[in-house]
Amino acid sequence: MNKIVFFSLLLSTFWSFGQKKVLQARSTSQNISIDGKLDEPAWENASVASNFVMFQPDNGKPIPDTKKTDIKVLYNNDAIYIAAIMYDDEPNKILKEISQRDNFGTADIFGVFINGFNDGQQNFEFFVSAADVQGDCIMTDAYGEDYSWDAVWISKAALTDKGWVVEIKIPYAALRFSGENKQTWGINFFREIKRERKKYTWNLIDTKIGTFTQQNGALEGIENIKPPTRLFFMPYASFYLNAADGQKTYGTMKGGMDIKYGINDAFTLDAILIPDFGQTKYDDQILNLGPFEQQFNENRAFFTEGTDLFSKGNMFYSRRIGGRPSTEPVLNDNEEVTEFPQNVNLINALKVSGRTKNGLGVGILNAVTEKTFATVKDTITGETRRVVVEPLTNYNVLVLDQRFRKNSSVTLINTNVTRNNHFRDANVTGLAWDLNTKANTYSLFGNAKYSFINDTEDKTGVFTTLGFAETSGNYRYSLGSDFVSKNFDPNDLGINFYTNYYNFYGNANYRILNPTKRFNSFKIDYSMYTEFNKESGKLQDNKISAEINLSTIKNNYYGTGFTIFPLETNDYYEPRAENRYVIIPKKIEYWASISTNYNYKFAIDINPSIIFTDQSGRIAYGADIGPRYRFNDKLLLTYTFSYFQKNNNKGYIDSYDDDNNENTPKTIVFANRDVITYSNTLSGKYALNSAMTLNLAVRQYWSYAENKEAMKLQPNGTLTPYPEYTENKNSSFYSWNADLSYSWWFAPGSQLSVLYRNSASNFERIIDKDFKHNVTGLLNNDALKHIFSISVKYFIDYNAVKNKLRNRA
């Protein structure tokens, strides 16, 4: 009898964990003060969500009674309110490092995940740490958590003698939902106990299923709400003081405004008027010896916030907008370029995004950049002229994304760039799909893209990919194939380096879903990849990879792996000439990684790697070493040293035509060279409180390529000595960047920021191997550029202003 009772209770427990939980929200007319006290009478009568279960590492295990967590939800016509009471039998051990917004550091966390359409596709996630630091993001299964999205909401965390408490107000303006009178939202609640590295959720997120957003519970009871007009203004004013050797110190004032307007409950318009990106993070520039441009991260808030729709199909690279001019001046004899702009100024930009109750997502983005000139000088007469290198340009992105069955979507994407006058125009259209079985066990995914370039010669091209994967369970696999035509070119508003190939690839992996006696997590991956040139059929890439990644019971992380290139391949990109290629030798790569538990004051990351080839003396090796020390809950310093060396590397340095014979192939010159790279980065954070931080970011970089022997590329892809070539093509690039900033969120959505920045860089053909000299050579007033700036942005809610004026009347 006892056994029957035991198994009945066990089955009922698993059954309850496997069902979607439901919480009733309660309407309130009381004024809820967000102070972390929860002393309003309305909280006493609210329904309670409890019985959390573990998400990681021991998936499905109930939270212990000593860590009991109770959640309540209220709502009115303005917002929803969440109260979280998190018990802890050792409250003095709660970790509470104060950090910047969206970066929780070493602290306990509470979160709420909301899907206003309850369609299982996208969560709006709001987090508060035990140090009272906010974080928010948009979560999709396809792209993970996007913390570039920032909403305006209010929260307060407070420590108690029984644990800690969080009180949150989320205005409806921060959410997306249908206009129906009776709402049913997808919702989940999250708690991380940092000292134990354990994460819990209210509704079970089963890790055997390859989806996160489709495993929410349900929030019911929100009825007949009348959200106010969603209209917000964010005016800003900035002052910049610039100083550098050889120029007079000068100051500039800038001002502008961001506007956010809720077209309806589901769609929002964002506009930026007279933008100012002067305080965005500096780019980590490198010595780029390869055939392709360096790809930079997007650091401008307008182009990162809420752009998940525009990421569909991987067709939008926002750094094209306001980037480097698309053309260079055509020079006459005896002319040289004396001034060339590094970027094009943005005039304005807007985006409209949202989703209907039937699952149709719509995204529209438009941006306009100004006409931009370079200056050309006649070296004989001294006369100068201005040349247009970028005309007035209009950038457009359109996305239509239809979701269905809560886990699948089909997306139409179009990007268009229209330039004034005779300059190049571009249009790219794509269709992407992500189709999943009802049980989320298998997935069919892919896309098809078509590019059209209107230039002196019109060009069209296609890119197609198709893949299939098993997405659940301990054992998973995927396989797929791509086909890319020679003239596929999305690079006016996207970024794509490789064309004219087809490939086949596959992956198989095994993971544990629950901890063992030794490991919290353990995963083995095996993959294969083969690529062929579409025209010649020659092998362009061929590799077999295997890797292991694990975390121990003590929450240290380890990984190791190797990649074998068992056959010689043919590189059609490095020669930088049509139909020419260079043979790449067989090689094998090894790597490892160690990351110790960040809960300790001292932790370290170590990432060594080494590459062997079957060519004598051709080897590459290096390591990243990153110690970090948390002095207390306010001060953290992180340092990273990186070193990488390539011995007897073979790479392109020059090419020229034979003037005496048009039928002779272009002479392409490579170099046998050693390439050595050093970088040192230091970042620091001192938090005065949860709204005010001082931040330090320093980067020193030096890389040089020393050519030992010139080599001539033969038509069959081999390299032979070329002693006739004597031009110095050595390369040495070194740079310095330092940012010291102060940030104060003095009101919801409102920020004062102060930045001091100095930077310097230099490129030379003469290599000076004195490391100290290269660093100190940039740290003087002759080389450094200095910028001091102050920027204030203020969040204005139209409804709050209207209500204040009404009350005064």
Side-chain angles (χ1 to χ4, degrees):
M1 181 68 180
N2 289 336
K3 290 183 179 180
I4 295 174
V5 172
F6 171 77
F7 282 112
S8 298
L9 289 171
L10 185 65
L11 287 172
S12 65
T13 300
F14 279 108
W15 176 259
S16 65
F17 290 157
Q19 300 304 298
K20 177 174 288 192
K21 295 180 179 179
V22 179
L23 175 65
Q24 295 293 323
R26 183 175 292 274
S27 175
T28 182
S29 58
Q30 297 178 12
N31 180 44
I32 305 297
S33 177
I34 306 302
D35 52 15
K37 297 179 180 179
L38 309 181
D39 52 3
E40 291 84 1
W43 288 121
E44 296 179 5
N45 300 320
S47 301
V48 179
S50 57
N51 298 323
F52 276 51
V53 291
M54 193 179 296
F55 171 51
Q56 290 176 342
D58 198 356
N59 189 236
K61 183 178 180 180
I63 195 168
D65 291 338
T66 55
K67 303 296 189 298
K68 181 183 176 183
T69 305
D70 291 337
I71 313 297
K72 299 179 180 181
V73 176
L74 302 174
Y75 75 95
N76 57 24
N77 277 333
D78 297 320
I80 66 165
Y81 302 82
I82 296 103
I85 304 171
M86 289 158 285
Y87 295 92
D88 195 313
D89 57 331
E90 297 177 297
N92 60 312
K93 292 185 179 181
I94 294 174
L95 295 175
K96 50 186 186 302
E97 180 188 355
I98 307 173
S99 58
Q100 289 178 280
R101 182 187 177 114
D102 291 335
N103 182 5
F104 300 111
T106 306
D108 281 25
I109 301 169
F110 169 75
V112 54
F113 310 156
I114 298 174
N115 182 329
F117 292 97
N118 196 27
D119 62 2
Q121 297 270 337
Q122 176 179 271
N123 286 340
F124 290 80
E125 299 186 351
F126 304 85
F127 299 93
V128 183
S129 77
D132 199 28
V133 176
Q134 285 189 354
D136 44 26
C137 68
I138 292 176
M139 167 69 186
T140 61
D141 286 335
Y143 298 100
E145 292 179 324
D146 176 13
Y147 282 94
S148 65
W149 177 77
D150 287 321
V152 178
W153 48 291
I154 304 172
S155 63
K156 180 62 180 177
L159 297 174
T160 71
D161 57 357
K162 295 181 180 180
W164 63 296
V165 175
V166 173
E167 192 170 19
I168 299 174
K169 176 184 178 180
I170 304 176
Y172 294 129
L175 304 171
R176 301 292 181 271
F177 51 89
S178 70
E180 296 178 348
N181 290 332
K182 188 174 183 179
Q183 300 281 328
T184 299
W185 293 357
I187 199 165
N188 212 342
F189 304 104
F190 171 87
R191 180 183 181 183
E192 179 176 8
I193 302 172
K194 197 70 173 185
R195 69 181 183 273
E196 299 177 356
R197 288 292 184 98
K198 293 179 179 179
K199 301 176 181 180
Y200 297 89
T201 58
W202 172 59
N203 201 75
L204 172 66
I205 298 176
D206 189 344
T207 56
K208 293 191 296 295
I209 301 174
T211 178
F212 186 95
T213 59
Q214 295 167 43
Q215 301 192 65
N216 289 333
L219 181 68
E220 297 178 348
I222 298 179
E223 299 179 0
N224 302 314
I225 56 174
K226 297 178 180 178
T229 302
R230 293 190 293 127
L231 178 59
F232 310 102
F233 303 94
M234 283 167 278
Y236 73 85
S238 303
F239 173 74
Y240 294 86
L241 186 66
N242 298 267
D245 183 60
Q247 74 173 33
K248 184 179 179 180
T249 300
Y250 66 95
T252 57
M253 287 287 298
K254 294 184 179 181
M257 182 182 293
D258 294 354
I259 300 173
K260 187 182 290 286
Y261 173 64
I263 300 171
N264 55 31
D265 292 333
F267 287 87
T268 301
L269 181 147
D270 294 272
I272 182 168
L273 308 176
I274 318 176
D276 175 24
F277 302 122
Q279 290 195 338
T280 55
K281 183 183 180 297
Y282 57 78
D283 290 323
D284 293 339
Q285 291 185 312
I286 63 171
L287 175 63
N288 186 7
L289 300 173
F292 307 117
E293 65 183 293
Q294 182 182 351
Q295 184 172 356
F296 295 109
N297 294 327
E298 179 58 84
N299 298 314
R300 300 169 295 178
F302 178 85
F303 293 106
T304 59
E305 294 178 359
T307 54
D308 57 300
L309 264 178
F310 302 104
S311 301
K312 296 279 187 174
N314 195 28
M315 291 172 55
F316 178 48
Y317 177 48
S318 58
R319 288 296 295 264
R320 297 293 184 209
I321 301 173
R324 185 179 174 85
S326 60
T327 68
E328 295 184 359
V330 178
L331 301 178
N332 300 319
D333 293 339
N334 305 314
E335 284 189 329
E336 64 179 7
V337 177
T338 57
E339 292 183 14
F340 190 87
Q342 293 304 304
N343 52 62
V344 179
N345 289 331
L346 177 65
I347 298 175
N348 56 54
L350 65 84
K351 59 189 176 187
V352 176
S353 60
R355 191 172 296 275
T356 70
K357 66 178 182 179
N358 295 320
L360 177 62
V362 179
I364 300 172
L365 186 145
N366 173 264
V368 179
T369 57
E370 70 179 15
K371 190 175 184 179
T372 306
F373 298 86
T375 302
V376 173
K377 179 181 178 180
D378 189 308
T379 57
I380 297 177
T381 66
E383 294 181 352
T384 61
R385 62 187 178 95
R386 299 177 75 205
V387 180
V388 177
V389 290
E390 186 71 23
L392 184 73
T393 305
N394 191 291
Y395 297 87
N396 293 280
V397 183
L398 170 66
V399 181
L400 300 174
D401 177 54
Q402 180 62 59
R403 295 175 179 169
F404 54 94
R405 211 169 53 198
K406 291 191 175 184
N407 66 353
S408 299
S409 64
V410 175
T411 310
L412 177 69
I413 316 105
N414 178 263
T415 65
N416 180 273
V417 179
T418 303
R419 297 182 174 92
N420 268 9
N421 300 323
H422 59 278
F423 287 82
R424 162 181 167 137
D425 296 331
N427 190 84
V428 184
T429 300
L431 181 69
W433 56 90
D434 182 14
L435 310 176
N436 297 274
T437 58
K438 186 176 181 179
N440 289 298
T441 51
Y442 296 97
S443 175
L444 180 68
F445 53 90
N447 60 64
K449 308 170 191 176
Y450 174 82
S451 67
F452 173 76
I453 305 299
N454 181 10
D455 204 353
T456 53
E457 181 181 345
D458 293 349
K459 292 194 306 180
T460 62
V462 296
F463 181 115
T464 61
T465 181
L466 182 65
F468 177 79
E470 182 179 3
T471 56
S472 66
N474 297 84
Y475 295 92
R476 306 183 190 186
Y477 65 88
S478 64
L479 50 90
S481 179
D482 302 335
F483 174 90
V484 188
S485 69
K486 186 175 185 179
N487 291 327
F488 177 71
D489 186 357
N491 290 307
D492 290 79
L493 197 45
I495 189 164
N496 183 75
F497 296 144
Y498 299 97
T499 62
N500 199 33
Y501 71 88
Y502 58 93
N503 63 29
F504 305 95
Y505 50 87
N507 170 272
N509 59 76
Y510 168 80
R511 71 198 68 193
I512 62 172
L513 300 175
N514 295 93
T516 66
K517 292 182 179 180
R518 295 184 178 181
F519 305 124
N520 276 338
S521 64
F522 183 89
K523 184 182 178 184
I524 299 176
D525 268 287
Y526 173 81
S527 60
M528 298 181 65
Y529 181 89
T530 302
E531 179 182 301
F532 299 91
N533 182 271
K534 185 176 73 67
E535 294 183 343
S536 69
K538 288 183 177 293
L539 187 67
Q540 285 191 173
D541 201 354
N542 178 245
K543 57 189 174 185
I544 302 169
S545 303
E547 63 181 65
I548 298 173
N549 291 281
L550 60 91
S551 63
T552 66
I553 294 297
K554 294 185 177 181
N555 294 303
N556 297 313
Y557 294 80
Y558 301 92
T560 186
F562 65 86
T563 302
I564 299 174
F565 299 79
L567 303 173
E568 288 185 343
T569 56
N570 304 276
D571 186 344
Y572 280 82
Y573 308 102
E574 182 65 19
R576 304 168 208 199
E578 189 171 354
N579 298 323
R580 298 294 299 275
Y581 61 91
V582 62
I583 295 174
I584 304 299
K586 305 171 187 176
K587 59 183 178 180
I588 183 169
E589 302 177 359
Y590 296 98
W591 63 269
S593 65
I594 299 172
S595 181
T596 61
N597 190 343
Y598 284 9
N599 282 357
Y600 299 118
K601 287 183 176 293
F602 176 80
I604 191 168
D605 297 317
I606 304 174
N607 300 282
S609 63
I610 189 168
I611 304 172
F612 299 98
T613 74
D614 67 350
Q615 289 184 354
S616 177
R618 187 169 179 176
I619 188 174
Y621 53 89
D624 299 327
I625 302 174
R628 51 189 287 134
Y629 191 79
R630 178 166 44 86
F631 294 84
N632 50 46
D633 286 338
K634 294 185 174 183
L635 179 61
L636 171 70
L637 288 178
T638 302
Y639 168 73
T640 303
F641 171 72
S642 298
Y643 176 83
F644 200 75
Q645 179 164 341
K646 300 177 183 178
N647 292 339
N648 296 304
N649 171 260
K650 309 296 191 295
Y652 170 95
I653 58 171
D654 202 358
S655 64
Y656 55 87
D657 295 313
D658 189 341
D659 296 333
N660 299 319
N661 190 345
E662 295 182 357
N663 297 321
T664 302
K666 175 182 287 191
T667 298
I668 299 175
V669 185
F670 275 56
N672 181 28
R673 62 197 181 191
D674 292 340
V675 183
I676 299 177
T677 302
Y678 306 85
S679 74
N680 294 273
T681 60
L682 176 67
S683 62
K685 173 269 305 179
Y686 181 78
L688 286 80
N689 53 50
S690 61
M692 197 180 298
T693 56
L694 286 167
N695 304 286
L696 174 69
V698 178
R699 177 179 183 261
Q700 174 274 325
Y701 175 89
W702 177 35
S703 182
Y704 68 85
E706 185 176 23
N707 301 326
K708 300 187 293 185
E709 178 187 19
M711 310 185 78
K712 185 175 182 180
L713 179 64
Q714 301 299 323
N716 64 357
T718 59
L719 296 169
T720 57
Y722 192 38
E724 295 87 351
Y725 188 87
T726 57
E727 188 172 346
N728 178 15
K729 287 290 185 177
N730 290 336
S731 300
S732 179
F733 175 73
Y734 43 101
S735 65
W736 167 270
N737 297 92
D739 281 5
L740 177 63
S741 63
Y742 165 80
S743 174
W744 176 29
W745 291 91
F746 59 89
S750 303
Q751 183 183 28
L752 168 68
S753 55
V754 181
L755 170 68
Y756 168 67
R757 169 176 292 169
N758 63 46
S759 61
S761 63
N762 194 24
F763 177 83
E764 295 177 334
R765 291 295 185 187
I766 305 299
I767 297 175
D768 180 357
K769 296 185 180 180
D770 186 334
F771 182 86
K772 181 179 178 181
H773 181 263
N774 280 323
V775 175
T776 58
L778 294 179
L779 300 182
N780 58 71
N781 286 330
D782 293 337
L784 285 171
K785 297 178 181 178
H786 306 268
I787 299 175
F788 176 79
S789 63
I790 302 175
S791 181
V792 180
K793 68 175 182 179
Y794 190 74
F795 177 80
I796 300 174
D797 184 344
Y798 162 79
N799 294 286
V801 174
K802 183 179 71 173
N803 292 336
K804 285 184 179 180
L805 294 175
R806 182 183 299 166
N807 293 335
R808 288 180 181 178

